[in-house]
Structures are given as C-alpha cells and as structure tokens.
mmCIF file with all atom_site columns, all heavy atoms in Angstrom:
data_model
loop_
_atom_site.group_PDB
_atom_site.id
_atom_site.type_symbol
_atom_site.label_atom_id
_atom_site.label_alt_id
_atom_site.label_comp_id
_atom_site.label_asym_id
_atom_site.label_entity_id
_atom_site.label_seq_id
_atom_site.pdbx_PDB_ins_code
_atom_site.Cartn_x
_atom_site.Cartn_y
_atom_site.Cartn_z
_atom_site.occupancy
_atom_site.B_iso_or_equiv
_atom_site.pdbx_formal_charge
_atom_site.auth_seq_id
_atom_site.auth_comp_id
_atom_site.auth_asym_id
_atom_site.auth_atom_id
_atom_site.pdbx_PDB_model_num
ATOM 1   N N   . GLN A 1 1  ? 0.834  -1.180 0.000  1.00 70.00 ? 1  GLN A N   1
ATOM 2   C CA  . GLN A 1 1  ? 0.000  0.000  0.000  1.00 70.00 ? 1  GLN A CA  1
ATOM 3   C C   . GLN A 1 1  ? 0.881  1.246  0.000  1.00 70.00 ? 1  GLN A C   1
ATOM 4   O O   . GLN A 1 1  ? 1.863  1.311  0.732  1.00 70.00 ? 1  GLN A O   1
ATOM 5   C CB  . GLN A 1 1  ? -0.924 0.010  1.219  1.00 70.00 ? 1  GLN A CB  1
ATOM 6   C CG  . GLN A 1 1  ? -1.836 1.204  1.266  1.00 70.00 ? 1  GLN A CG  1
ATOM 7   C CD  . GLN A 1 1  ? -2.674 1.254  2.535  1.00 70.00 ? 1  GLN A CD  1
ATOM 8   O OE1 . GLN A 1 1  ? -2.355 0.585  3.518  1.00 70.00 ? 1  GLN A OE1 1
ATOM 9   N NE2 . GLN A 1 1  ? -3.717 2.048  2.505  1.00 70.00 ? 1  GLN A NE2 1
ATOM 10  N N   . VAL A 1 2  ? 0.518  2.216  -0.826 1.00 78.00 ? 2  VAL A N   1
ATOM 11  C CA  . VAL A 1 2  ? 1.195  3.504  -0.871 1.00 78.00 ? 2  VAL A CA  1
ATOM 12  C C   . VAL A 1 2  ? 0.221  4.556  -0.367 1.00 78.00 ? 2  VAL A C   1
ATOM 13  O O   . VAL A 1 2  ? -0.907 4.663  -0.849 1.00 78.00 ? 2  VAL A O   1
ATOM 14  C CB  . VAL A 1 2  ? 1.661  3.847  -2.287 1.00 78.00 ? 2  VAL A CB  1
ATOM 15  C CG1 . VAL A 1 2  ? 2.314  5.227  -2.305 1.00 78.00 ? 2  VAL A CG1 1
ATOM 16  C CG2 . VAL A 1 2  ? 2.634  2.794  -2.784 1.00 78.00 ? 2  VAL A CG2 1
ATOM 17  N N   . ARG A 1 3  ? 0.679  5.337  0.580  1.00 87.00 ? 3  ARG A N   1
ATOM 18  C CA  . ARG A 1 3  ? -0.144 6.384  1.148  1.00 87.00 ? 3  ARG A CA  1
ATOM 19  C C   . ARG A 1 3  ? 0.604  7.704  1.131  1.00 87.00 ? 3  ARG A C   1
ATOM 20  O O   . ARG A 1 3  ? 1.814  7.750  1.346  1.00 87.00 ? 3  ARG A O   1
ATOM 21  C CB  . ARG A 1 3  ? -0.541 6.055  2.583  1.00 87.00 ? 3  ARG A CB  1
ATOM 22  C CG  . ARG A 1 3  ? -1.401 4.819  2.732  1.00 87.00 ? 3  ARG A CG  1
ATOM 23  C CD  . ARG A 1 3  ? -1.661 4.542  4.199  1.00 87.00 ? 3  ARG A CD  1
ATOM 24  N NE  . ARG A 1 3  ? -2.366 5.641  4.829  1.00 87.00 ? 3  ARG A NE  1
ATOM 25  C CZ  . ARG A 1 3  ? -2.107 6.094  6.053  1.00 87.00 ? 3  ARG A CZ  1
ATOM 26  N NH1 . ARG A 1 3  ? -1.140 5.524  6.773  1.00 87.00 ? 3  ARG A NH1 1
ATOM 27  N NH2 . ARG A 1 3  ? -2.811 7.086  6.561  1.00 87.00 ? 3  ARG A NH2 1
ATOM 28  N N   . LEU A 1 4  ? -0.122 8.767  0.869  1.00 92.00 ? 4  LEU A N   1
ATOM 29  C CA  . LEU A 1 4  ? 0.400  10.117 0.941  1.00 92.00 ? 4  LEU A CA  1
ATOM 30  C C   . LEU A 1 4  ? -0.472 10.884 1.918  1.00 92.00 ? 4  LEU A C   1
ATOM 31  O O   . LEU A 1 4  ? -1.693 10.938 1.759  1.00 92.00 ? 4  LEU A O   1
ATOM 32  C CB  . LEU A 1 4  ? 0.367  10.816 -0.422 1.00 92.00 ? 4  LEU A CB  1
ATOM 33  C CG  . LEU A 1 4  ? 1.375  10.383 -1.489 1.00 92.00 ? 4  LEU A CG  1
ATOM 34  C CD1 . LEU A 1 4  ? 1.021  9.017  -2.066 1.00 92.00 ? 4  LEU A CD1 1
ATOM 35  C CD2 . LEU A 1 4  ? 1.422  11.426 -2.593 1.00 92.00 ? 4  LEU A CD2 1
ATOM 36  N N   . VAL A 1 5  ? 0.155  11.463 2.908  1.00 94.00 ? 5  VAL A N   1
ATOM 37  C CA  . VAL A 1 5  ? -0.581 12.176 3.937  1.00 94.00 ? 5  VAL A CA  1
ATOM 38  C C   . VAL A 1 5  ? -0.003 13.570 4.086  1.00 94.00 ? 5  VAL A C   1
ATOM 39  O O   . VAL A 1 5  ? 1.160  13.727 4.470  1.00 94.00 ? 5  VAL A O   1
ATOM 40  C CB  . VAL A 1 5  ? -0.535 11.435 5.280  1.00 94.00 ? 5  VAL A CB  1
ATOM 41  C CG1 . VAL A 1 5  ? -1.330 12.202 6.328  1.00 94.00 ? 5  VAL A CG1 1
ATOM 42  C CG2 . VAL A 1 5  ? -1.085 10.023 5.131  1.00 94.00 ? 5  VAL A CG2 1
ATOM 43  N N   . GLU A 1 6  ? -0.824 14.574 3.795  1.00 96.00 ? 6  GLU A N   1
ATOM 44  C CA  . GLU A 1 6  ? -0.402 15.964 3.917  1.00 96.00 ? 6  GLU A CA  1
ATOM 45  C C   . GLU A 1 6  ? -0.661 16.480 5.321  1.00 96.00 ? 6  GLU A C   1
ATOM 46  O O   . GLU A 1 6  ? -1.585 16.045 6.004  1.00 96.00 ? 6  GLU A O   1
ATOM 47  C CB  . GLU A 1 6  ? -1.149 16.856 2.921  1.00 96.00 ? 6  GLU A CB  1
ATOM 48  C CG  . GLU A 1 6  ? -1.003 16.457 1.464  1.00 96.00 ? 6  GLU A CG  1
ATOM 49  C CD  . GLU A 1 6  ? -2.155 15.607 0.983  1.00 96.00 ? 6  GLU A CD  1
ATOM 50  O OE1 . GLU A 1 6  ? -2.813 14.945 1.815  1.00 96.00 ? 6  GLU A OE1 1
ATOM 51  O OE2 . GLU A 1 6  ? -2.411 15.598 -0.238 1.00 96.00 ? 6  GLU A OE2 1
ATOM 52  N N   . SER A 1 7  ? 0.138  17.447 5.701  1.00 96.00 ? 7  SER A N   1
ATOM 53  C CA  . SER A 1 7  ? -0.068 18.132 6.963  1.00 96.00 ? 7  SER A CA  1
ATOM 54  C C   . SER A 1 7  ? 0.515  19.533 6.854  1.00 96.00 ? 7  SER A C   1
ATOM 55  O O   . SER A 1 7  ? 1.264  19.833 5.933  1.00 96.00 ? 7  SER A O   1
ATOM 56  C CB  . SER A 1 7  ? 0.571  17.366 8.125  1.00 96.00 ? 7  SER A CB  1
ATOM 57  O OG  . SER A 1 7  ? 1.978  17.283 7.966  1.00 96.00 ? 7  SER A OG  1
ATOM 58  N N   . GLY A 1 8  ? 0.164  20.374 7.786  1.00 97.00 ? 8  GLY A N   1
ATOM 59  C CA  . GLY A 1 8  ? 0.738  21.703 7.849  1.00 97.00 ? 8  GLY A CA  1
ATOM 60  C C   . GLY A 1 8  ? -0.165 22.823 7.389  1.00 97.00 ? 8  GLY A C   1
ATOM 61  O O   . GLY A 1 8  ? 0.203  23.997 7.510  1.00 97.00 ? 8  GLY A O   1
ATOM 62  N N   . GLY A 1 9  ? -1.322 22.491 6.863  1.00 98.00 ? 9  GLY A N   1
ATOM 63  C CA  . GLY A 1 9  ? -2.236 23.530 6.445  1.00 98.00 ? 9  GLY A CA  1
ATOM 64  C C   . GLY A 1 9  ? -2.794 24.286 7.631  1.00 98.00 ? 9  GLY A C   1
ATOM 65  O O   . GLY A 1 9  ? -2.669 23.874 8.784  1.00 98.00 ? 9  GLY A O   1
ATOM 66  N N   . GLY A 1 10 ? -3.397 25.400 7.341  1.00 98.00 ? 10 GLY A N   1
ATOM 67  C CA  . GLY A 1 10 ? -3.978 26.208 8.388  1.00 98.00 ? 10 GLY A CA  1
ATOM 68  C C   . GLY A 1 10 ? -4.388 27.555 7.867  1.00 98.00 ? 10 GLY A C   1
ATOM 69  O O   . GLY A 1 10 ? -4.428 27.794 6.655  1.00 98.00 ? 10 GLY A O   1
ATOM 70  N N   . SER A 1 11 ? -4.686 28.430 8.779  1.00 98.00 ? 11 SER A N   1
ATOM 71  C CA  . SER A 1 11 ? -5.091 29.788 8.451  1.00 98.00 ? 11 SER A CA  1
ATOM 72  C C   . SER A 1 11 ? -3.981 30.748 8.845  1.00 98.00 ? 11 SER A C   1
ATOM 73  O O   . SER A 1 11 ? -3.466 30.689 9.966  1.00 98.00 ? 11 SER A O   1
ATOM 74  C CB  . SER A 1 11 ? -6.388 30.137 9.187  1.00 98.00 ? 11 SER A CB  1
ATOM 75  O OG  . SER A 1 11 ? -6.819 31.440 8.858  1.00 98.00 ? 11 SER A OG  1
ATOM 76  N N   . VAL A 1 12 ? -3.620 31.609 7.921  1.00 98.00 ? 12 VAL A N   1
ATOM 77  C CA  . VAL A 1 12 ? -2.513 32.526 8.159  1.00 98.00 ? 12 VAL A CA  1
ATOM 78  C C   . VAL A 1 12 ? -2.819 33.876 7.527  1.00 98.00 ? 12 VAL A C   1
ATOM 79  O O   . VAL A 1 12 ? -3.502 33.958 6.503  1.00 98.00 ? 12 VAL A O   1
ATOM 80  C CB  . VAL A 1 12 ? -1.193 31.943 7.598  1.00 98.00 ? 12 VAL A CB  1
ATOM 81  C CG1 . VAL A 1 12 ? -1.273 31.799 6.081  1.00 98.00 ? 12 VAL A CG1 1
ATOM 82  C CG2 . VAL A 1 12 ? 0.000  32.797 7.997  1.00 98.00 ? 12 VAL A CG2 1
ATOM 83  N N   . GLN A 1 13 ? -2.321 34.909 8.146  1.00 98.00 ? 13 GLN A N   1
ATOM 84  C CA  . GLN A 1 13 ? -2.509 36.255 7.609  1.00 98.00 ? 13 GLN A CA  1
ATOM 85  C C   . GLN A 1 13 ? -1.641 36.455 6.374  1.00 98.00 ? 13 GLN A C   1
ATOM 86  O O   . GLN A 1 13 ? -0.542 35.896 6.256  1.00 98.00 ? 13 GLN A O   1
ATOM 87  C CB  . GLN A 1 13 ? -2.161 37.289 8.676  1.00 98.00 ? 13 GLN A CB  1
ATOM 88  C CG  . GLN A 1 13 ? -2.505 38.717 8.293  1.00 98.00 ? 13 GLN A CG  1
ATOM 89  C CD  . GLN A 1 13 ? -2.306 39.686 9.447  1.00 98.00 ? 13 GLN A CD  1
ATOM 90  O OE1 . GLN A 1 13 ? -1.634 39.379 10.419 1.00 98.00 ? 13 GLN A OE1 1
ATOM 91  N NE2 . GLN A 1 13 ? -2.895 40.854 9.337  1.00 98.00 ? 13 GLN A NE2 1
ATOM 92  N N   . ALA A 1 14 ? -2.134 37.246 5.459  1.00 98.00 ? 14 ALA A N   1
ATOM 93  C CA  . ALA A 1 14 ? -1.357 37.570 4.268  1.00 98.00 ? 14 ALA A CA  1
ATOM 94  C C   . ALA A 1 14 ? 0.020  38.078 4.662  1.00 98.00 ? 14 ALA A C   1
ATOM 95  O O   . ALA A 1 14 ? 0.168  38.885 5.581  1.00 98.00 ? 14 ALA A O   1
ATOM 96  C CB  . ALA A 1 14 ? -2.085 38.608 3.424  1.00 98.00 ? 14 ALA A CB  1
ATOM 97  N N   . GLY A 1 15 ? 1.011  37.594 3.949  1.00 98.00 ? 15 GLY A N   1
ATOM 98  C CA  . GLY A 1 15 ? 2.388  37.926 4.259  1.00 98.00 ? 15 GLY A CA  1
ATOM 99  C C   . GLY A 1 15 ? 3.070  36.911 5.151  1.00 98.00 ? 15 GLY A C   1
ATOM 100 O O   . GLY A 1 15 ? 4.301  36.931 5.282  1.00 98.00 ? 15 GLY A O   1
ATOM 101 N N   . GLY A 1 16 ? 2.280  36.034 5.735  1.00 98.00 ? 16 GLY A N   1
ATOM 102 C CA  . GLY A 1 16 ? 2.821  35.018 6.608  1.00 98.00 ? 16 GLY A CA  1
ATOM 103 C C   . GLY A 1 16 ? 3.329  33.817 5.846  1.00 98.00 ? 16 GLY A C   1
ATOM 104 O O   . GLY A 1 16 ? 3.433  33.826 4.617  1.00 98.00 ? 16 GLY A O   1
ATOM 105 N N   . ALA A 1 17 ? 3.625  32.772 6.589  1.00 98.00 ? 17 ALA A N   1
ATOM 106 C CA  . ALA A 1 17 ? 4.220  31.587 5.998  1.00 98.00 ? 17 ALA A CA  1
ATOM 107 C C   . ALA A 1 17 ? 3.637  30.318 6.594  1.00 98.00 ? 17 ALA A C   1
ATOM 108 O O   . ALA A 1 17 ? 3.184  30.298 7.747  1.00 98.00 ? 17 ALA A O   1
ATOM 109 C CB  . ALA A 1 17 ? 5.736  31.596 6.201  1.00 98.00 ? 17 ALA A CB  1
ATOM 110 N N   . LEU A 1 18 ? 3.655  29.285 5.803  1.00 98.00 ? 18 LEU A N   1
ATOM 111 C CA  . LEU A 1 18 ? 3.286  27.954 6.231  1.00 98.00 ? 18 LEU A CA  1
ATOM 112 C C   . LEU A 1 18 ? 4.224  26.963 5.573  1.00 98.00 ? 18 LEU A C   1
ATOM 113 O O   . LEU A 1 18 ? 4.760  27.229 4.496  1.00 98.00 ? 18 LEU A O   1
ATOM 114 C CB  . LEU A 1 18 ? 1.844  27.608 5.843  1.00 98.00 ? 18 LEU A CB  1
ATOM 115 C CG  . LEU A 1 18 ? 0.705  28.266 6.606  1.00 98.00 ? 18 LEU A CG  1
ATOM 116 C CD1 . LEU A 1 18 ? -0.622 27.923 5.934  1.00 98.00 ? 18 LEU A CD1 1
ATOM 117 C CD2 . LEU A 1 18 ? 0.696  27.811 8.059  1.00 98.00 ? 18 LEU A CD2 1
ATOM 118 N N   . ARG A 1 19 ? 4.391  25.837 6.219  1.00 98.00 ? 19 ARG A N   1
ATOM 119 C CA  . ARG A 1 19 ? 5.175  24.764 5.643  1.00 98.00 ? 19 ARG A CA  1
ATOM 120 C C   . ARG A 1 19 ? 4.316  23.514 5.598  1.00 98.00 ? 19 ARG A C   1
ATOM 121 O O   . ARG A 1 19 ? 3.871  23.023 6.638  1.00 98.00 ? 19 ARG A O   1
ATOM 122 C CB  . ARG A 1 19 ? 6.437  24.504 6.452  1.00 98.00 ? 19 ARG A CB  1
ATOM 123 C CG  . ARG A 1 19 ? 7.360  23.445 5.837  1.00 98.00 ? 19 ARG A CG  1
ATOM 124 C CD  . ARG A 1 19 ? 8.643  23.289 6.637  1.00 98.00 ? 19 ARG A CD  1
ATOM 125 N NE  . ARG A 1 19 ? 9.532  22.288 6.086  1.00 98.00 ? 19 ARG A NE  1
ATOM 126 C CZ  . ARG A 1 19 ? 10.421 22.511 5.130  1.00 98.00 ? 19 ARG A CZ  1
ATOM 127 N NH1 . ARG A 1 19 ? 10.546 23.738 4.612  1.00 98.00 ? 19 ARG A NH1 1
ATOM 128 N NH2 . ARG A 1 19 ? 11.204 21.534 4.685  1.00 98.00 ? 19 ARG A NH2 1
ATOM 129 N N   . LEU A 1 20 ? 4.085  23.033 4.404  1.00 98.00 ? 20 LEU A N   1
ATOM 130 C CA  . LEU A 1 20 ? 3.321  21.819 4.213  1.00 98.00 ? 20 LEU A CA  1
ATOM 131 C C   . LEU A 1 20 ? 4.257  20.630 4.094  1.00 98.00 ? 20 LEU A C   1
ATOM 132 O O   . LEU A 1 20 ? 5.343  20.736 3.518  1.00 98.00 ? 20 LEU A O   1
ATOM 133 C CB  . LEU A 1 20 ? 2.462  21.908 2.953  1.00 98.00 ? 20 LEU A CB  1
ATOM 134 C CG  . LEU A 1 20 ? 1.541  23.118 2.819  1.00 98.00 ? 20 LEU A CG  1
ATOM 135 C CD1 . LEU A 1 20 ? 0.719  22.996 1.549  1.00 98.00 ? 20 LEU A CD1 1
ATOM 136 C CD2 . LEU A 1 20 ? 0.647  23.262 4.041  1.00 98.00 ? 20 LEU A CD2 1
ATOM 137 N N   . SER A 1 21 ? 3.819  19.514 4.614  1.00 96.00 ? 21 SER A N   1
ATOM 138 C CA  . SER A 1 21 ? 4.596  18.296 4.516  1.00 96.00 ? 21 SER A CA  1
ATOM 139 C C   . SER A 1 21 ? 3.730  17.179 3.975  1.00 96.00 ? 21 SER A C   1
ATOM 140 O O   . SER A 1 21 ? 2.533  17.117 4.254  1.00 96.00 ? 21 SER A O   1
ATOM 141 C CB  . SER A 1 21 ? 5.157  17.890 5.885  1.00 96.00 ? 21 SER A CB  1
ATOM 142 O OG  . SER A 1 21 ? 6.082  18.842 6.359  1.00 96.00 ? 21 SER A OG  1
ATOM 143 N N   . CYS A 1 22 ? 4.354  16.319 3.210  1.00 94.00 ? 22 CYS A N   1
ATOM 144 C CA  . CYS A 1 22 ? 3.684  15.157 2.660  1.00 94.00 ? 22 CYS A CA  1
ATOM 145 C C   . CYS A 1 22 ? 4.511  13.934 3.009  1.00 94.00 ? 22 CYS A C   1
ATOM 146 O O   . CYS A 1 22 ? 5.642  13.794 2.530  1.00 94.00 ? 22 CYS A O   1
ATOM 147 C CB  . CYS A 1 22 ? 3.522  15.289 1.145  1.00 94.00 ? 22 CYS A CB  1
ATOM 148 S SG  . CYS A 1 22 ? 2.813  13.838 0.332  1.00 94.00 ? 22 CYS A SG  1
ATOM 149 N N   . LYS A 1 23 ? 3.961  13.103 3.833  1.00 92.00 ? 23 LYS A N   1
ATOM 150 C CA  . LYS A 1 23 ? 4.622  11.859 4.191  1.00 92.00 ? 23 LYS A CA  1
ATOM 151 C C   . LYS A 1 23 ? 4.230  10.798 3.178  1.00 92.00 ? 23 LYS A C   1
ATOM 152 O O   . LYS A 1 23 ? 3.042  10.535 2.981  1.00 92.00 ? 23 LYS A O   1
ATOM 153 C CB  . LYS A 1 23 ? 4.224  11.427 5.595  1.00 92.00 ? 23 LYS A CB  1
ATOM 154 C CG  . LYS A 1 23 ? 4.834  10.113 6.047  1.00 92.00 ? 23 LYS A CG  1
ATOM 155 C CD  . LYS A 1 23 ? 6.336  10.236 6.246  1.00 92.00 ? 23 LYS A CD  1
ATOM 156 C CE  . LYS A 1 23 ? 6.909  8.947  6.819  1.00 92.00 ? 23 LYS A CE  1
ATOM 157 N NZ  . LYS A 1 23 ? 8.372  9.046  7.012  1.00 92.00 ? 23 LYS A NZ  1
ATOM 158 N N   . VAL A 1 24 ? 5.230  10.212 2.538  1.00 86.00 ? 24 VAL A N   1
ATOM 159 C CA  . VAL A 1 24 ? 4.998  9.231  1.493  1.00 86.00 ? 24 VAL A CA  1
ATOM 160 C C   . VAL A 1 24 ? 5.423  7.866  1.986  1.00 86.00 ? 24 VAL A C   1
ATOM 161 O O   . VAL A 1 24 ? 6.596  7.646  2.285  1.00 86.00 ? 24 VAL A O   1
ATOM 162 C CB  . VAL A 1 24 ? 5.761  9.574  0.206  1.00 86.00 ? 24 VAL A CB  1
ATOM 163 C CG1 . VAL A 1 24 ? 5.446  8.549  -0.880 1.00 86.00 ? 24 VAL A CG1 1
ATOM 164 C CG2 . VAL A 1 24 ? 5.421  10.973 -0.261 1.00 86.00 ? 24 VAL A CG2 1
#
C-alpha cells in the first residue's frame, strides 16, 4: 500500500508563511 498524507495547512494572515509536509 502507498499512502500520501499531507499536513501543515492552516489559516494565516497575508504575508505570513506555512510549511506543508507530505509523508509518502
């Protein structure tokens, strides 16, 4: 089985930053 799971999303003010991760 192959799974991809994203994380790191959220709500942020314009100009801010987020880091998304995908575990494969």
